[in-house]
């Protein structure tokens, strides 16, 4: 008889945590809870109770369990099972926002795998981001009032693969503000799962709950509840348990609920605990003799009641693992269908096994302890024999061992005592995991293979495994471990790689060091490659150079650009020469990926010669990527072509097509890169709302993906977004975040100078703007730069012309550079030319240049108006053009954009020109609601804003083009309307309020 309590006893604190987390998920504030405890302590019971409560409250419930047969973990197994458990009941979400993430989830959801596009498998981080987006969609599916929140239950994480653990960590760190509750259970076994649970709890990304053993009184209550569930006693019967039974349970179970139930079942089965004639429970024998003292004995007692074939079947199943395939079990046992099903039914009737859902032909033991108890009762030789038969049966039934079968066979070979065969299978499984994108699992499996070949006499067999593990660690970004392992390989004798293989390995490490910006390490590895190539036999020399030469040259090109290696001349020119050699050599040697690396670098460097040449290189890269079906390179190249097209024409159409292609392939990192570029383009075009939406989405995604380079660019986009609206405080906050992400060491850092210059111009501080541009110019003089919109070829020449620091000869040098023809630069360069021509008395030429500037600046709404404001005073002074018309256009724009300094400057210049000036004092649309309610006018609000930096009356007057006396009157009114006692308090209030503004 199976005895189990119908209620959860002694878990009030844990249930309170679960209830609070469910409530938080319903309110859109996600939580993660880890239940950490020994086997049988009640983790699964709590998880089941939580799932029931979630279901009754309307939340979507997804449930999965880790742990494959023989402890072999397959990548994302519990995640895939949880998704399938939901999809079978509710179907796949159809939300259009999930379109970019379907490809990344294709490995978990077969329905989406069929509609995905071919290409490289999604990275674990991309899969984690896709899983987060899917859970958010499920949790927010409020149609017909369904799913106001989502519960994801993952059990037995101690058996989970490393990909699953990485995904769970990602979810824990990003659940806040999402309608998701993640509940995970695991045992306190030393390993990555327990380490993860404690780490996320320590940084408050999750709650760690450790259910304690039940007290004696709780054991009594639980036992009585379990016995009451077996049937109602007579009306007048006593319901309590004899004290000696309670004492025995408390002593032998040690507070473990599962063991309490097993012991009760054993007592009743042994007939030492029964209902008396009056219906109450009574002891009818010696508890010390008849009651099993351990779960092993209890399980053995129940299995002993089965037939010999039934016991043998369950023993074989236990060796296969807690969960086992019916087909494999039949192959191991050799039983015909009818006998197999009869014995399975007997095992289910004995409450030892049950069908495993949602998988159809799989079964599982009732509890992990059940399978462990059966295995513990076997002698080692018997266990090894069963494991060997199981491995043989699987290899016959599944040629090539696809999916999880390879890992299962490896584990069974290990259990059978065949370490070498197990190592080879684990190595095969590692390579398969790497091919599917499960890099963390590949590392774990390869390390397991190496552990099975520890001896020096096995060095020759270990060497290829070490080599494969080094490559895998490099793919996983674990460069330090890869270097250490590579350095442990012997240089000669058993276990040594031949010189060519060793050189290839070092070249791969060198490239990984370059991508990680560890240029000194890369230089050291290149030296090792050259030394090893000297050892290659003469007959292999040309082929060795053809295979490794392009890879080494690409590394050296980046070393020269970084300044680590001296070039003896122009660094950019030398890097370009090496990249061209690498491209040609890679194509001859049939190395398409290295050729793509080279063509893209050449395209970036060729911009200084003209964007037509850059596009030509990118087209070569695209042809190569298409020919070899290199999806990532296809998408990346399309994006670069789109960026070039915008810089050359001001059109975003091509980049938007690249973005749609990345979205369609589910390439999240490339999708975010395209969106970041589109956001920067929208900033330049003056579409600040669109840029804000894209930048926020990209910032969230790139931070979660830990894509530092792209995240830095997104932060620079946000810097530009604030700067182009004259919001200095916000700009400085974004710059601080950029520096926090290591931006000052980035080659992208010069872009910040141009943004700060724009901000200074919107504050009417041309001197400061020119200092910023001069600083950018100095940086670019000492470093290779691939950014051409920072002001060097447009805005800086204009400001130098306005201040009289430049002459026509200097301007002619600027125009000779192809970058000056880019529309963003050309709009300012043409204005600078107009200034020079106007001063020379050639008014018609100056007006023609202004017209050219207006045409070039057509896509750039704010910049075009800013240029009009900058050139108008010179045109007024020199008597050419239509400065009054320009100033009216600029004043209209900047007033509507909420940039008072420029708008006021335009009005002042109009007055000086004798033109009528439109009054702007009626209405207060730009005044925040809080201040508008206090009665502030638009002019008073302008003064209020300038109090935050604690400017004096004279400085405010100069900024707003009014008299100091007028400022003083406005300050007096502000004090009265805001209720502040003095000017200092008013300044504090202004600072406080401004920091809250967008």
């Amino acid at each position: 008889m199976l005895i189990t309590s119908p209620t959860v006893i002694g878990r009030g604190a844990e249930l309170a945590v679960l209830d609070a987390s469910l409530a938080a998920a319903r309110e859109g504030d996600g939580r993660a809870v880890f239940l950490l405890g020994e086997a049988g302590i009640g983790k699964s019971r709590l998880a089941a109770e939580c799932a029931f409560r979630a279901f009754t409250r309307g939340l979507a419930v997804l449930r999965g369990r880790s742990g494959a047969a023989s402890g072999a973990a397959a990548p994302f197994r519990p995640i895939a099972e949880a998704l399938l458990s939901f999809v079978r009941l509710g179907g796949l979400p159809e939300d259009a926002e999930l379109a970019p993430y379907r490809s990344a989830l294709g490995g978990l959801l077969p329905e989406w795998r069929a509609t995905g596009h071919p290409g490289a498998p999604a990275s674990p981080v991309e899969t984690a981001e896709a899983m987060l987006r899917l859970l958010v969609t499920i949790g927010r599916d409020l149609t017909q009032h369904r799913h106001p929140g989502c519960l994801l239950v993952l059990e037995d994480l101690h058996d989970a693969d490393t990909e699953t653990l990485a995904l769970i960590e990602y979810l824990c760190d990003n659940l806040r503000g999402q309608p998701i509750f993640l509940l995970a259970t695991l045992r306190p076994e030393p390993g990555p799962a327990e380490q993860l649970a404690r780490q996320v709890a320590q940084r408050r990304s999750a709650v760690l709950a450790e259910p304690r053993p039940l007290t004696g009184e709780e054991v009594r209550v639980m036992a009585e509840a379990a016995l009451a569930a077996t049937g109602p006693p007579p009306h007048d019967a006593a319901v309590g348990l004899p004290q000696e039974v309670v004492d025995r349970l408390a002593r032998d179970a040690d507070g473990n609920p599962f063991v309490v139930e097993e012991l009760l079942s054993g007592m009743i089965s042994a007939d030492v605990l029964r209902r008396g004639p009056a219906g109450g429970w009574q002891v009818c024998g010696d508890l010390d003799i008849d009651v099993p003292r351990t779960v092993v004995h209890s399980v053995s007692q129940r299995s002993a009641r089965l037939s010999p074939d039934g016991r043998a079947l369950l023993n074989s199943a236990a060796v296969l693992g807690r969960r086992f395939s019916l087909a494999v079990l039949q192959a191991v046992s050799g039983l015909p269908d009818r006998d197999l099903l009869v014995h399975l039914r007997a095992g289910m009737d004995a409450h030892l096994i049950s069908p495993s859902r949602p998988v159809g032909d799989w079964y599982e033991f009732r509890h992990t302890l059940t399978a462990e108890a059966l295995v513990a009762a076997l002698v080692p030789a018997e266990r090894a024999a069963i494991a060997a038969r199981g491995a043989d049966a699987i290899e016959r039934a599944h040629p090539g061992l696809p999916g999880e079968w390879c890992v299962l066979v490896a584990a069974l070979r290990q259990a059978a005592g065949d370490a070498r065969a197990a190592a080879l299978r684990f190595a095969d499984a590692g390579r398969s995991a790497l091919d599917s994108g499960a890099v963390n699992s590949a590392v774990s499996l390869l390390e397991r293979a190496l552990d099975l070949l520890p001896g020096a006499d096995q060095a020759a067999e270990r060497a290829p495994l070490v080599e494969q593990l080094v490559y895998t660690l490099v793919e996983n970004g674990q460069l330090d471990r890869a270097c250490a392992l590579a350095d442990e390989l012997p240089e000669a004798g058993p276990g040594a790689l031949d010189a060519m293989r060793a050189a290839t390995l070092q070249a791969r490490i060198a490239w990984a060091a370059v991508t990680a910006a560890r240029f000194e390490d890369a230089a050291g590895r290149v030296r090792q490659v050259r030394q090893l190539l000297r050892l290659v036999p003469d007959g292999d020399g040309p082929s060795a150079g053809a295979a490794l030469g392009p890879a080494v040259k690409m590394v050296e090109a980046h070393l020269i650009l970084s300044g680590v290696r001296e070039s003896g001349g122009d660094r950019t020119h030398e890097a370009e020469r090496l990249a061209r050699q690498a491209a040609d050599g890679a194509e001859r040697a049939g190395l398409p990926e290295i050729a793509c690396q080279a063509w893209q670098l050449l395209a970036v460097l060729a911009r200084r010669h003209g964007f037509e040449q850059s596009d030509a290189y990118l087209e070569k890269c695209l042809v190569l990527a298409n020919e070899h079906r290199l999806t990532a390179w296809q998408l990346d190249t399309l994006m670069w072509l789109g960026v070039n097209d915008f810089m050359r024409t001001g059109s975003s159409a091509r980049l938007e097509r690249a973005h749609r292609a990345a979205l369609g392939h589910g390439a999240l990192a490339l999708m975010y890169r395209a969106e970041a570029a589109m956001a920067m383009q929208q900033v330049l075009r003056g579409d600040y709302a669109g840029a804000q939406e894209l930048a926020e989405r990209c910032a969230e995604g790139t931070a979660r993906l830990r894509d530092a380079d792209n995240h830095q660019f997104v932060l620079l986009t946000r810097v530009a977004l604030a700067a182009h609206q004259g919001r200095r405080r916000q700009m400085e906050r974004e710059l601080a975040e950029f520096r926090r992400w290591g931006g000052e060491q980035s080659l992208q850092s010069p872009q910040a100078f141009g943004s700060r210059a724009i901000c200074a111009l919107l504050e009417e501080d041309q001197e400061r703007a020119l200092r910023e541009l001069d600083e950018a110019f100095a940086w670019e003089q000492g470093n290779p730069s691939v950014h051409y919109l920072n002001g060097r070829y447009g805005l800086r020449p204009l400001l130098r012309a306005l201040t009289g620091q430049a002459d026509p000869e200097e301007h002619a040098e600027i125009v000779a550079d192809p970058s000056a023809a880019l529309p963003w630069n050309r709009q300012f360069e043409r204005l600078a030319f107009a200034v020079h021509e106007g001063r020379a008395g050639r008014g018609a030429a100056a007006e023609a240049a202004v017209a050219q500037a207006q045409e070039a600046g057509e896509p750039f709404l704010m910049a075009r108006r800013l240029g009009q404001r900058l050139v108008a005073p010179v045109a007024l002074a020199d008597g050419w053009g239509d400065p009054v018309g320009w100033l009216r256009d600029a004043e209209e724009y900047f007033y509507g954009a909420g940039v008072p300094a420029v708008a006021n400057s335009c009005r002042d210049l109009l007055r000086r020109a004798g033109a009528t000036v439109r009054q702007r004092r009626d209405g207060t649309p730009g005044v925040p609601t809080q201040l508008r309610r206090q009665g502030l006018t638009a002019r008073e609000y302008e003064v209020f804003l300038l109090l935050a930096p604690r400017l004096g009356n004279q400085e405010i007057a100069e900024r707003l083009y009014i008299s100091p006396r007028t400022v003083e009157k406005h300050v007096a009114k502000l004090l009265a309307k805001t209720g502040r006692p003095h000017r200092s308090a008013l300044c504090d209030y202004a600072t406080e309020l401004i920091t809250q503004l967008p």
Side-chain angles (χ1 to χ4, degrees), residues 348-373:
M348 294 169 64
D349 292 341
H351 302 291
L352 293 170
I353 60 173
S354 61
S356 178
R357 294 182 176 85
V359 185
D361 61 344
W362 285 67
Y363 284 73
E364 65 181 19
F365 286 93
R366 177 179 169 237
H367 196 278
T368 302
L369 291 175
T370 306
E372 292 177 355

Side-chain angles (χ1 to χ4, degrees), residues 812-827:
E813 293 180 8
I814 295 294
V815 175
D817 194 290
S819 300
L822 301 177
W824 175 265
N825 292 331
R826 181 171 171 79
Q827 64 178 332

Side-chain angles (χ1 to χ4, degrees), residues 240-442:
L241 270 181
Q243 187 60 41
E244 60 183 309
V245 175
V246 175
D247 293 342
R248 191 70 63 201
L249 292 175
R251 186 192 71 186
D252 290 350
D254 199 24
N256 187 295
F258 176 76
V259 180
V260 169
E261 294 175 347
E262 290 293 315
L263 292 177
L264 275 176
S265 298
M267 290 178 184
I268 293 176
S269 298
D271 204 28
V272 296
L273 180 65
R274 68 174 78 156
R275 288 190 186 275
W281 294 100
Q282 62 184 31
V283 177
C284 302
D286 188 343
L287 296 177
D288 271 337
I289 295 174
D290 297 318
V291 177
R293 299 183 61 86
T294 66
V295 176
V296 173
H297 294 160
S298 177
V299 172
S300 297
Q301 190 177 56
R302 268 184 279 156
S303 65
R305 296 188 178 91
L306 303 176
S307 67
D309 285 344
R311 290 197 302 272
L313 185 72
L314 287 186
N315 288 338
S316 297
V319 171
L320 293 175
R322 181 182 178 183
R323 297 167 55 160
F324 52 89
S325 163
L326 194 59
V328 171
L329 182 60
Q330 184 173 26
V332 173
S333 65
L335 292 172
D337 290 348
R338 181 179 180 281
D339 292 346
L340 179 72
L341 295 176
V342 167
H343 295 313
L344 279 174
R345 171 53 61 184
M348 294 169 64
D349 292 341
H351 302 291
L352 293 170
I353 60 173
S354 61
S356 178
R357 294 182 176 85
V359 185
D361 61 344
W362 285 67
Y363 284 73
E364 65 181 19
F365 286 93
R366 177 179 169 237
H367 196 278
T368 302
L369 291 175
T370 306
E372 292 177 355
L374 289 172
V375 173
L378 297 173
V379 297
E382 187 178 7
R383 187 162 62 246
I386 293 173
R389 291 200 304 272
D392 291 340
I394 294 171
E395 288 180 338
R396 288 193 301 270
H398 300 280
L401 300 178
E404 298 180 26
W405 297 115
C406 190
V407 184
L408 174 55
V409 167
L412 290 173
R413 292 296 182 200
Q414 185 178 5
D418 191 346
R420 180 179 179 280
L424 294 178
R425 288 303 185 194
F426 277 126
D428 291 341
R431 285 187 280 269
S432 177
L434 184 62
D435 291 339
S436 65
V439 184
N440 289 325
S441 285

Side-chain angles (χ1 to χ4, degrees), residues 642-655 681 685 859:
V643 171
N644 276 5
D645 195 47
F646 174 81
M647 294 176 71
R648 189 176 59 251
T649 68
S651 170
S652 301
R654 196 166 187 177
L655 183 60
Q681 292 178 7
R685 294 169 67 93

